[in-house]
Amino acid sequence: MMPAPRLCLIEDDPIMGESLCDRFALERLEHDWFRDIASAGAALRTREYAVVVSDIRLRDGTGDALFESLRAEGVAMPPWLFITAFGAIDRAVGLLKQGAADYITKPFDLDVLVERLQGYLEPMVSDAAGERLGVSPVMRHLAGLLPRLARHATTMLITGESGVGKEVVARELHRLGEDAGAPFVAVNCGGLSESLLEAELFGHEKGAFTGALQRRPGVFEQAHGGTLFLDEIGDMPLAMQVKLLRVLQDRQVTRVGGSSSREVDFRLICATHRDLRAEVQAGRFREDLFYRIHVIHLRIPPLRERRDDIPWLARRFLAEAGGRGGEPVKHLSPQVEQALLTHEWPGNVRELKNAIERACVLSAGDQLMLEALFDDVITGPVEVEGFGSADLHGYLRACERGYIEKALAANEGRITITAEALGISRKNLWERMKRLGIPALEPDKG
């Protein structure tokens, strides 16, 4: 079993330290409390922590000096959250630029601090537990349903836009079921021609067609005793739908070029990004097959409907990408997190993961660079005038304005093309331009 994530508290004020430790204990957060720079530094060089909470001003030094020295030594750095007095906010903002994760000003609400810490700890806890699909209410509810479905349901349909994680849910259902040790076999019904799909599903005998040099069992047989995941079943040709329905009714398959049938038994999970009811009405999907696979229906909402999951997923992807090629594990600054939250993510979780992986490659140091997230449009960093005197809201607004202006310039002012490049709708782009005071360069071009 993986150890519980542990946090490091650096605080020399006994009243503040005891108060924080009491709350951490109440929240069942494993933690170590250090009252001086020397002992904290020794621990951080030898132990693994999930997050550091450090006061800036300490009796034997400063928390930011420790932060900078550890970075210079190349120590693997967990996310750092600084506690600072109101008068030292500029100093804390400077630390964010250097790679700190966040800061909180005194006096602060302990609930707020715990909520922020949970944002760093929850991905690690959920990975260890293997039970969580997200932190948003809808994904928590879905995760709560899966154990019962995994025990009792044998046929399920998962719907949702491309990239939302339909296969992730299917694999979780398999993992939670009694057949977890049996095969999980996945096939994309929309990625193969009809003839190749038939051979993939049913298998073939040697010599059944040109290139069939040896006997090969299909996925129905491969999934026997386990789970068969048919992705994008809405793209399956009608002729294949008839054959699939027959297998589901008879639980027998005959290989292409064969004469004898074989019994098969598997849990069936289907997935599609299409509206199958509409496909049935349009004559592109068989009604009898629809009712056969529509026993249990799970809808995975897109990221824009569960934005609470975006930072959670981003930190998971950062953890997965961390350490490659000797690079330090990177963290999300408040600016980057805000950019993630405001993006529409038409490609959903898949797009988010690709963006994080790309930004990890392009970002130097241990913090993601804002301009590296969407480098398909921006070729250089966004220049923000007067950044040193701008508050966080002003900075983010300036970044967004600069980003959109460069995207418009790169696409010669064409609104539709620019919106597609930014991954948002045309209406959304117009609304953002209006809010930010960006004039349309060439409105007639669309």
Side-chain angles (χ1 to χ4, degrees):
M1 180 179 293
M2 294 177 60
R6 197 170 192 87
L7 63 85
C8 172
L9 172 64
I10 309 173
E11 176 58 69
D12 60 0
D13 185 321
I15 296 177
M16 173 71 78
E18 289 176 8
S19 177
L20 289 171
C21 287
D22 287 345
R23 181 57 185 271
F24 294 159
L26 183 65
E27 299 290 340
R28 297 184 179 179
L29 300 177
E30 300 290 338
H31 61 279
D32 293 329
W33 176 19
F34 301 98
R35 297 165 176 79
D36 59 82
I37 294 291
S39 59
L44 286 163
R45 290 180 178 91
T46 57
R47 304 178 199 171
E48 184 175 346
Y49 289 100
V51 64
V52 178
V53 179
S54 174
D55 204 339
I56 288 185
R57 295 178 180 175
L58 299 156
R59 293 173 184 172
D60 63 335
T62 63
D64 54 338
L66 174 62
F67 174 76
E68 292 167 1
S69 66
L70 291 173
R71 283 191 61 196
E73 292 173 25
V75 175
M77 300 287 281
W80 279 63
L81 188 151
F82 282 102
I83 299 173
T84 182
F86 181 78
I89 290 180
D90 288 345
R91 191 174 183 183
V93 172
L95 287 168
L96 295 183
K97 299 180 192 178
Q98 297 172 34
D102 206 348
Y103 71 90
I104 191 167
T105 57
K106 301 176 183 176
F108 56 85
D109 188 331
L110 280 176
D111 290 339
V112 174
L113 174 61
V114 169
E115 182 179 350
R116 294 191 189 182
L117 291 175
Q118 292 289 5
Y120 298 104
L121 297 173
E122 280 181 339
M124 303 172 193
V125 173
S126 61
D127 286 344
E131 297 175 353
R132 298 286 291 280
L133 299 173
V135 295
S136 62
V138 65
M139 296 307 286
R140 288 177 186 269
H141 176 70
L142 178 60
L145 292 175
L146 294 191
R148 178 172 177 79
L149 294 179
R151 289 193 300 269
H152 302 292
T154 59
T155 305
M156 283 167 278
L157 174 64
I158 303 175
T159 61
E161 295 179 5
S162 295
V164 293
K166 297 186 287 294
E167 184 170 345
V168 171
V169 173
R171 289 184 178 276
E172 184 69 1
L173 280 162
H174 175 72
R175 188 190 69 81
L176 292 170
E178 295 180 356
D179 57 351
F184 177 93
V185 183
V187 60
N188 189 327
C189 300
L192 299 170
S193 65
E194 184 172 336
S195 59
L196 289 177
L197 180 59
E198 182 176 18
E200 183 73 14
L201 294 177
F202 292 87
H204 57 77
E205 298 290 346
K206 181 178 179 179
F209 51 82
T210 303
L213 303 180
Q214 59 185 6
R215 176 184 297 170
R216 181 179 182 277
V219 296
F220 291 133
E221 292 181 70
Q222 295 172 35
H224 182 72
T227 300
L228 176 61
F229 177 61
L230 296 182
D231 197 10
E232 297 304 347
I233 193 171
D235 295 337
M236 179 179 283
L238 281 168
M240 287 305 303
Q241 293 177 30
V242 175
K243 296 179 180 181
L244 171 60
L245 183 62
R246 187 176 301 119
V247 171
L248 298 182
Q249 290 172 339
D250 301 338
R251 292 289 167 169
Q252 292 184 337
V253 297
T254 302
R255 293 175 184 166
V256 177
S259 56
S260 60
S261 62
R262 294 168 173 79
E263 292 188 359
V264 289
D265 181 28
F266 49 80
R267 181 205 308 271
L268 177 66
I269 303 177
C270 300
T272 181
H273 71 283
R274 299 185 182 278
D275 181 345
L276 288 189
R277 291 186 184 276
E279 294 295 297
V280 169
Q281 293 176 355
R284 292 187 291 265
F285 199 84
R286 291 184 61 91
E287 185 175 19
D288 46 5
L289 179 59
F290 171 75
Y291 287 115
R292 172 70 68 171
I293 66 175
H294 197 268
V295 179
I296 298 292
H297 178 204
L298 300 177
R299 175 184 177 269
I300 315 272
L303 276 184
R304 62 180 175 274
E305 294 180 13
R306 49 182 176 111
R307 293 190 181 272
D308 291 350
D309 289 333
I310 294 174
W312 181 82
L313 287 164
R315 292 188 179 98
R316 290 189 65 178
F317 297 147
L318 284 174
E320 292 173 7
R324 296 177 186 171
E327 289 287 320
V329 176
K330 292 178 171 56
H331 310 304
L332 301 178
S333 68
Q335 295 94 330
V336 169
E337 186 168 324
Q338 182 64 26
L340 294 175
L341 287 169
T342 56
H343 187 61
E344 291 299 310
W345 300 111
N348 293 294
V349 180
R350 185 183 297 118
E351 181 190 359
L352 173 61
K353 183 176 184 180
N354 291 340
I356 294 294
E357 290 180 350
R358 180 179 63 241
C360 283
V361 173
L362 297 177
S363 300
D366 56 5
Q367 182 170 269
L368 284 193
M369 296 166 57
L370 181 65
E371 61 272 17
L373 278 172
F374 311 104
D375 70 332
D376 52 339
V377 175
I378 302 301
T379 58
V382 176
E383 298 293 334
V384 182
E385 295 183 4
F387 165 73
S389 60
D391 60 13
L392 181 59
H393 176 74
Y395 172 69
L396 293 174
R397 180 183 175 88
C399 285
E400 184 180 9
R401 179 187 173 95
Y403 194 94
I404 292 176
E405 286 178 337
K406 288 195 174 185
L408 285 165
N411 292 291
E412 301 178 340
R414 293 177 172 86
I415 301 299
T416 301
I417 296 176
T418 302
E420 291 175 354
L422 292 173
I424 60 178
S425 67
R426 192 174 189 274
K427 179 182 178 182
N428 191 307
L429 177 57
W430 272 117
E431 290 172 349
R432 289 171 185 261
M433 291 171 62
K434 183 178 180 181
R435 173 170 55 82
L436 296 168
I438 301 174
L441 300 181
E442 295 186 41
D444 293 338
K445 289 188 176 182

